[in-house]
Amino acid sequence: MAQLDVNRIQKELVEIERDKNSGVSVTIIGGQLSRLTGTIKGPIGTPYEGGIFVVDITLTKSYPFEPPKMTFKTKVWHPNVSSANGAICLDILKDQWSPALTLKTALLSLQALLSTPEPDDPQDAVVAQQYLRNYQDYVTTARNWTNAFATGDRGLQEKVAKLVEMGIPAEAAQAALEKAGGDENAALEVLFSS
Amino acid sequence: MLGYRHFLKNSKQCAIPFLTGHIYDEPPSEKLSMEGAGWSDSDQGAYTDSDDEYPDHVATAREHDGPRYKVIDKTTLLSAQCRDLKQIQDVLGIRLQHARSLLIHHRWDVENLFSALAEQGEERLFLAAGVPPRSMHRRASGPKEAEFTCGTCFDDVPADSATVMDCSHIYCNDCWTTYFLMKIREGQSRRITCMAHKCNAICDEEKVLKLVAEADPLAVDRYERSLLESYIEDNSKVKWCPSVPHCGNALRVEGEPYVEVQCTCGLTFCFNCGLEAHSPCSCDIWRRWDEKSRDESETVNWLVANTKPCPKCGKKVEKSGGCNLVQCTCKQPFCWLCGAATGLAHDWSRIEGHSCGRYKEDKEREAKKAETDLKRYMHYHTRWKGHMESLRLEDKQREVVQSKIAILEESESVVRDYSWLTNAQSCLFRARRVLAYSYAFAFYMFGSDLFKDDISPEQNEINQNLFEDHQQQLEATVERLAKLVETPFDQFRREGNDIPAIRMEVVNLTAILETRCKTMHEIVENDLLGSLQTTTHHIAPYYANVKPLPNEDSATGDDTDCGVGAAGVGPSTSHFDEEWREQGAVEDSNDVREPDANAGPGSTDVKTNPSSANPSGTDGCASHLDTERALKRPADSFVDRSPPHPAAKLPRSNQEDRFGGREHGKPVPPGNGQKGGTQGGGAGPSGVGGSQAGGEEFKPSCPVCFVEFGSGTDISHVTAHVEECLLAMEL
């Protein structure tokens, strides 16, 4: 009870490692089983497609009898995820958690949440309103955020490099890209209009 | 303390040469201490006989004329819930734990459960409450293989160290135990659901106990206690007594929550809001009054509206006339409108060093309103406070009167029984309290903004007249009786003739006072609060007898059937007893109120001697019931507020055994000519303040059918008539 159930977590990690097609992965941070990092592939056919989303996982000593604490490390534009700090509103991470669930199932649930947002029970009210009132805008923003933040450092660095080649200072290029949600053309517009 | 003195001087151009200063002394609202105010038997509450919504309560109220509630102590807690559990078990033919799950889900409301059963059917009812379908109740069996993989720890475990729940989900014993212990620690003992994802089934009590007992016996106690106390905490009809330190009792009300109840520990409180008894104030009104008298908000309001801080020294400055250029005692001139510092010169168009010239009418109105409000509040508060003070003093008088009685009983007076004096005193108590709280009520009912959308100003005035008329009559009667009770009876013992005369007057006044209190409550509930359109306010009806219903739940008997340790696993009820005594050692984290360890020796008595804990009250109020029954009137009769014949209200024993022949042909004139009362009124409040027929000869009348008798009618004749009437009414 007072000890982390190492046995179970290791079994879980083995299981995730074995099933490589699931689209989720978990790695240990700093040799401690209580701090983990999970990744989810953005579901196909959604604005999150092509993105790799990093999830910060903290396990309490009571795990699996208490739910794991999960937050998005990657910025996500989603009604049930805080655009500011990545906090997630998902029932199974709260009162609907069951000890029979695992990190893998929880991450898969997150993946499912990405494809089916629940704007009626929002974590981020602004996103939820946009989702309900102006769906197309939501899709665009979510895709831009995915491109900007979820395609890994490589994506962003490449775009910055391109802009630098065009004679723009690296810092300004990065700021403009972030402002434009990762869209190169929009970033150029931002840069040249100012 | 906001006392200060501050003179202001207008500048020379002003028409009015001086602005007066004001002295603010004691803030008007000093919170009164309620302690020692002798609340113990001064409260009441029940169902008005005009309550159409609850006809069955009216019927039963005749048998027990008082608030319908019971005190549940630890000896009766088990049997109290046992009855409900058994009822469900018998009807549905299910196991105890399933009955418990159903009842907890339906907040121990058996009727609600049965109506849900009728509406939704058994399957949905069970599903919602977390009870597995009936088909699964006995079928669940262990894993078939010798070894299986636990879905929680992913270990392979032998089949005999795994447990299957009613919902047929299997996990290993270690995982179950860890899970149960965690849930019990979190205070979720009452609804431990199965570990499987989306499985809503409540875990089998016996299996929980068996597994937990092996790991942590303390957790077993908490689990059991939590299940038992669910009857109190998950039950809208039962509440813990709010006493501090906690007496360990709970009270169960049958019917509406608007009732004032008295715990066996002596505390009287409003069942609905858990605060001190406060009728004729509604819970909302009382909360407001209490807050107001606590935080002196009225004084603050007035200061904010009427004064401005000097921009230099910060003292509060009041302007009572003159122009808007004011000067503080510190010689700083400033603009009254915006409060900014200015020069000393002032003309029609401008103030020197300042350009603010706007005049704000609403601000002025606001100031005026705040001043009126404060005056109103002071008016009501002074009276409220005065009566509360009297109440406190009269509590001290109690012992004095008792010693007088003792002296009288030793003397050889013609009167042997002095219960009339004790009765009068408790009646005086209740009436004084009603009177005091009626001022708090009046403050909010008339003239405050609370009901301005509900009542037109004209109607409000009519209401106020009606109310104040009754308040006045009540006040007069209270003071008369108060004076009478303070009579030095003990010095009368040599002249035996005086006592019967005083007794007669006291008994009369007591009866009148009871009626007046009752009427006051009825006016408030029916005429004043009853006419509100947009908001709902209710008060506890007045009852002279506040004793709880006799508690037929025995401490022994079929307890064992319903104990959570029924399966013989783990400690059973005796363990629970001990736990109760040593409260405080372990506490469920979300247990709202635990019986306190400091409950004192009184509570130990309750445990060791169940008969003393049994609040049956049958000894004390047998003769009282007759009196109360005589006072009871048909539902529609309350518009006629003439008091019943005083003699008709006397306890029968008084009339038959102790009245000397002398009194028989001599009906006593009523206190202050209330006979006229407010008869002319019909249903509307226009009947306010009927004629005061002070000099009129008194004619006895029947309180039930209102037939009047001749002025010289023999009292025994009247009594016989009243009894017949009552009998006919009950039939």
Side-chain angles (χ1 to χ4, degrees), chain A residues 1 7-8 11 65 98 102, chain B residues 152 154-155 178 182 195 197:
Chain A
M1 188 72 192
N7 206 5
R8 151 143 177 171
K11 278 183 183 164
F65 298 100
S98 147
T102 62
Chain B
T152 293
F154 303 145
D155 285 337
T178 317
M182 203 188 70
M195 279 202 282
H197 184 45

Side-chain angles (χ1 to χ4, degrees), chain A residues 1 5 7-8 11-12 62 64-66 91-92 96-102, chain B residues 151-156 171 174-176 178-179 182 185-186 195-198:
Chain A
M1 188 72 192
D5 190 347
N7 206 5
R8 151 143 177 171
K11 278 183 183 164
E12 278 195 48
S62 304
F65 298 100
E66 272 177 14
D91 58 352
I92 64 146
Q96 290 299 308
W97 172 256
S98 147
L101 294 173
T102 62
Chain B
T152 293
C153 61
F154 303 145
D155 285 337
D156 292 333
Y171 294 96
D174 287 349
C175 285
W176 277 126
T178 317
Y179 177 71
M182 203 188 70
R185 201 181 55 238
E186 285 173 0
M195 279 202 282
H197 184 45
K198 305 237 167 180

Side-chain angles (χ1 to χ4, degrees), chain B residues 459-706:
Chain B
Q459 183 60 42
N460 193 47
E461 203 182 324
I462 296 170
N463 285 353
Q464 190 169 358
N465 284 338
L466 168 74
F467 177 82
E468 282 175 357
D469 192 66
H470 280 274
Q471 195 181 34
Q472 209 179 328
Q473 288 183 15
L474 178 65
E475 196 154 17
T477 320
V478 163
E479 298 306 345
R480 275 178 58 106
L481 186 61
K483 189 162 181 294
L484 220 50
V485 168
E486 283 176 30
T487 319
F489 300 100
D490 45 335
Q491 290 166 22
F492 289 178
R493 60 179 178 275
R494 278 171 210 93
E495 312 124 57
N497 290 354
D498 289 348
I499 297 278
I502 286 185
R503 177 182 70 184
M504 208 54 188
E505 205 177 344
V506 166
V507 166
N508 281 346
L509 271 177
T510 309
I512 290 165
L513 205 50
E514 290 288 358
T515 319
R516 291 216 181 291
C517 288
K518 220 179 163 92
T519 313
M520 172 66 96
H521 277 70
E522 285 168 349
I523 288 176
V524 168
E525 173 73 16
N526 302 343
D527 288 2
L528 304 183
L529 296 176
S531 65
L532 300 179
Q533 305 290 321
T534 55
T535 47
T536 321
H537 283 251
H538 287 293
I539 61 160
Y542 179 80
Y543 262 103
N545 174 17
V546 289
K547 294 270 190 305
L549 290 167
N551 214 334
E552 69 268 20
D553 300 325
S554 66
T556 51
D558 47 9
D559 284 2
T560 41
D561 288 319
C562 298
V564 274
V569 190
S572 65
T573 38
S574 64
H575 213 104
F576 175 72
D577 286 7
E578 236 163 72
E579 183 59 27
W580 191 285
R581 242 169 260 146
E582 294 153 15
Q583 287 302 336
V586 207
E587 306 244 323
D588 272 13
S589 57
N590 74 341
D591 276 355
V592 183
R593 198 190 294 274
E594 293 282 355
D596 199 296
N598 304 329
S603 64
T604 321
D605 274 350
V606 170
K607 269 163 232 136
T608 50
N609 183 2
S611 68
S612 77
N614 192 340
S616 65
T618 38
D619 314 330
C621 60
S623 69
H624 215 75
L625 280 176
D626 278 348
T627 321
E628 281 306 299
R629 209 181 287 183
L631 274 169
K632 200 117 188 102
R633 288 192 256 162
D636 54 349
S637 73
F638 112 82
V639 282
D640 184 339
R641 292 181 185 104
S642 61
H645 187 285
K649 285 178 246 160
L650 291 175
R652 202 178 305 149
S653 54
N654 266 9
Q655 292 166 15
E656 287 168 4
D657 307 341
R658 301 187 190 98
F659 272 34
R662 225 166 350 102
E663 279 112 8
H664 267 244
K666 194 183 89 180
V668 180
N672 51 355
Q674 279 87 358
K675 192 184 162 287
T678 52
Q679 274 174 328
S686 53
V688 188
S691 59
Q692 292 282 324
E696 204 179 292
E697 195 185 10
F698 179 73
K699 289 177 188 163
S701 66
C702 169
V704 182
C705 68
F706 305 106

Side-chain angles (χ1 to χ4, degrees), chain A residues 135-186:
Chain A
Y135 182 75
Q136 215 44 55
D137 278 5
Y138 152 77
V139 172
T140 315
T141 320
R143 186 168 295 135
N144 285 345
W145 277 48
T146 308
N147 290 336
F149 309 116
T151 45
D153 282 342
R154 180 182 42 84
L156 189 67
Q157 289 313 317
E158 268 175 22
K159 286 171 193 164
V160 172
K162 255 187 191 173
L163 291 175
V164 169
E165 271 173 30
M166 292 165 86
I168 295 153
E171 276 174 29
Q174 181 142 3
L177 271 169
E178 272 177 23
K179 205 170 173 187
D183 189 278
E184 275 169 76
N185 295 331

